[in-house]
């Protein structure tokens, strides 16, 4: 069982202050970090100010290497198959743009895919003559596996699977979709930016070829951090679109050699303090027990899905069979931005997901925007009830 009192005490944003205090429901955006992440990140910045960035980094080489070990423990991957980056979007793009594509090749994307992924797919299709096609959703809103089976053929080179959309509580059947894609030799790139840290991730069970994730959301790490997992044999064979003296070695006047593992997807220059903070965040999650945290997130999301429909005019918009910690809703007669801002005036933090972020899904559902509440394990049930009462008082 999760020690909720400890988790709240470890979270500066939950520290006692002016009553009634902050109700933070935006961990799907950028979560509240635990104190160890704050201390690790700020502590290294202070050390850089004392001795300079190079010396400070050299003092922490073992700790920097351990970040990949910790991530590997969390997702069941070898550290050498992990590349650290500045975001999930960067990680996704680094792998996607390394996939060879030619005229006539096919790219499949999820109907709920995030705008950054869709834009990248469309850009590469325009440049290479490939085509972008959408995998339909089934009656529950998740990937239609039968439709995917009918879509795939040997011309499909990559399938972009969104594990958990940004605009609602759906969780897609990633492992099942991967098996279908692999049946025709297609690569699978799993966008796990909204699932890593709140749902179990085992890359061996999922069998994906690559996975992109961010540090700032459910992992509770610093902004400007993320990572890419690449299947080991691909990590040793794919060539990224961009290289430097870390991802490659200059071996002769007109020769270079790629790094032997996923580090070929990294650049030498990076935010050392941020990466150390990311490692601290993952270690904190491992210390709490990931399954304990996942259960706590799920319980809080389900509490909101039970309570919010009791409020007149509120419609919960979540789809899917399996649900994540993201709860999306609309309030009749009110713009989502107005809902967000009026709640913010009461020190309740939610955010808005606009149609432009998930254009196909939101257009299909006829939604211009939704309010998004995403409670992490540090949120109390009393705070959730205060949030529901505040929503009820808006109309």
């Amino acid at each position: 069982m999760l020690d909720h009192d400890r988790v709240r005490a470890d979270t500066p944003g939950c520290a006692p202050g002016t009553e009634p205090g902050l109700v933070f429901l935006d961990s799907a955006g950028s979560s509240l970090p635990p104190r160890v992440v704050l201390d690790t990140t700020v502590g290294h910045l202070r050390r850089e100010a004392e001795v300079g960035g190079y010396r400070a980094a050299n003092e922490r080489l073992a700790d920097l290497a351990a970040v990949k070990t910790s991530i590997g423990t969390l997702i069941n991957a070898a550290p050498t198959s992990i590349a650290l980056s500045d975001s999930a979007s960067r990680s996704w793009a680094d792998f996607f743009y390394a996939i060879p594509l030619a005229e006539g090749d096919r790219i499949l994307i999820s109907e709920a895919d995030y705008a950054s992924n869709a834009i990248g797919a469309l850009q590469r299709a325009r440049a290479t003559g490939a085509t972008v096609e959408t995998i339909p959703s089934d009656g529950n809103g998740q990937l239609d596996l039968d439709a995917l089976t009918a879509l795939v053929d040997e011309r499909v080179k990559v399938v972009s699977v969104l594990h958990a959309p940004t605009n609602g509580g759906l969780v897609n059947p990633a492992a099942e979709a991967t098996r279908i894609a692999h049946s025709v030799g297609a690569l699978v790139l799993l966008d796990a930016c909204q699932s890593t840290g709140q749902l179990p991730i085992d890359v061996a069970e999922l069998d994906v070829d690559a996975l992109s994730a961010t540090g700032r959301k459910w992992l509770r790490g610093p902004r400007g951090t993320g990572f890419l997992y690449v299947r080991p044999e691909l990590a040793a064979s794919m060539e990224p679109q961009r290289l430097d003296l870390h991802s490659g070695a200059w071996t002769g006047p007109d020769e270079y050699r790629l790094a032997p593992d996923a580090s070929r997807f990294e650049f030498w220059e990076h935010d050392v303090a941020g990466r150390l903070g990311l490692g601290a965040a993952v270690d904190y999650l491992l210390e709490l027990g990931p399954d304990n945290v996942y259960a706590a997130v799920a319980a809080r999301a389900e509490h909101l899905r039970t309570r919010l429909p009791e409020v007149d005019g509120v419609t919960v918009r979540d789809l899917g069979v399996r649900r994540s910690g993201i709860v999306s809703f609309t309030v009749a007669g009110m713009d989502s931005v107005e809902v967000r801002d009026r709640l913010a005036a009461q020190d309740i933090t939610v955010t808005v997901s606009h149609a432009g972020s998930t254009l196909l899904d939101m257009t299909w559902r006829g939604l211009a925007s939704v309010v998004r509440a995403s409670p992490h394990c540090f949120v109390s049930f009393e705070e959730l009830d205060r949030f529901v009462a505040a929503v009820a008082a808006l109309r």
Side-chain angles (χ1 to χ4, degrees), residues 1-79:
M1 295 292 292
L2 190 69
D3 185 344
H4 189 250
D5 290 338
R6 178 214 164 162
V7 172
R8 287 183 66 82
D10 288 345
T11 304
C14 295
T18 303
E19 294 300 330
L22 174 70
V23 178
F24 188 83
L25 302 174
D26 191 23
S27 286
S30 187
S31 191
L32 298 182
R35 191 176 308 279
V36 65
V37 172
L38 177 65
D39 291 347
T40 298
T41 305
V42 174
H44 188 76
L45 290 174
R46 293 187 183 281
R47 185 57 178 163
E48 288 185 342
E50 295 168 352
V51 301
Y54 282 14
R55 178 177 167 185
N58 286 337
E59 293 172 348
R60 303 298 296 275
L61 291 178
D63 295 325
L64 285 166
V67 176
K68 294 185 182 181
T69 300
S70 297
I71 292 171
T73 299
L74 181 66
I75 68 171
N76 190 24

Side-chain angles (χ1 to χ4, degrees), residues 378-389:
F378 53 78
V379 179
S380 70
F381 286 95
E382 291 77 15
E383 288 170 335
L384 296 178
D385 289 339
R386 177 184 153 202
F387 159 65
V388 173

Side-chain angles (χ1 to χ4, degrees), residues 5-280:
D5 290 338
R6 178 214 164 162
V7 172
R8 287 183 66 82
D10 288 345
T11 304
C14 295
T18 303
E19 294 300 330
L22 174 70
V23 178
F24 188 83
L25 302 174
D26 191 23
S27 286
S30 187
S31 191
L32 298 182
R35 191 176 308 279
V36 65
V37 172
L38 177 65
D39 291 347
T40 298
T41 305
V42 174
H44 188 76
L45 290 174
R46 293 187 183 281
R47 185 57 178 163
E48 288 185 342
E50 295 168 352
V51 301
Y54 282 14
R55 178 177 167 185
N58 286 337
E59 293 172 348
R60 303 298 296 275
L61 291 178
D63 295 325
L64 285 166
V67 176
K68 294 185 182 181
T69 300
S70 297
I71 292 171
T73 299
L74 181 66
I75 68 171
N76 190 24
T80 53
S81 67
I82 293 165
L84 301 179
S85 75
D86 61 15
S87 66
S89 295
R90 176 79 66 184
S91 297
W92 190 96
D94 283 349
F95 182 84
F96 179 76
Y97 279 79
I99 300 169
L101 291 174
E103 187 171 356
D105 289 342
R106 301 170 65 204
I107 304 165
L108 303 186
I109 65 173
S110 312
E111 191 166 56
D113 235 322
Y114 192 57
S116 293
N117 303 350
I119 291 169
L122 291 168
Q123 183 191 41
R124 288 215 68 202
R126 181 179 296 175
T128 63
T131 60
V132 179
E133 300 167 51
T134 304
I135 308 164
S137 300
D138 65 17
N140 294 306
Q142 63 189 21
L143 282 174
D144 188 325
L145 298 176
D146 290 335
L148 175 60
T149 301
L151 271 175
V152 296
D153 62 20
E154 69 281 355
R155 293 178 298 130
V156 176
K157 301 304 178 183
V158 57
V159 179
S160 172
V161 176
L162 194 69
H163 203 192
T166 188
N167 65 330
L170 167 71
V171 179
N172 271 317
E176 294 85 346
T178 298
R179 283 194 290 271
I180 296 168
H182 282 173
S183 71
V184 296
L187 296 175
V188 175
L189 172 51
L190 182 68
D191 183 331
C193 74
Q194 289 291 10
S195 54
T196 306
Q198 66 138 327
L199 296 171
I201 300 286
D202 184 323
V203 293
E205 290 185 1
L206 292 168
D207 199 29
V208 294
D209 299 290
L211 175 149
S212 58
T214 186
R216 75 178 189 269
K217 298 181 185 289
W218 300 95
L219 285 175
R220 304 176 64 195
R223 293 196 70 172
T225 61
F227 69 87
L228 170 68
Y229 158 79
V230 183
R231 185 188 295 276
E233 58 268 31
L234 292 174
S237 63
M238 294 183 75
E239 179 156 346
Q241 289 250 322
R242 296 170 181 82
L243 302 172
D244 76 346
L245 78 173
H246 174 82
S247 46
W250 195 11
T251 57
D254 57 359
E255 297 177 349
Y256 64 91
R257 181 182 65 249
L258 290 169
D261 54 25
S263 62
R264 64 179 58 189
F265 287 93
E266 298 175 338
F267 267 28
W268 183 85
E269 180 56 35
H270 59 273
D271 182 351
V272 176
R275 290 189 178 179
L276 291 170
L278 174 62

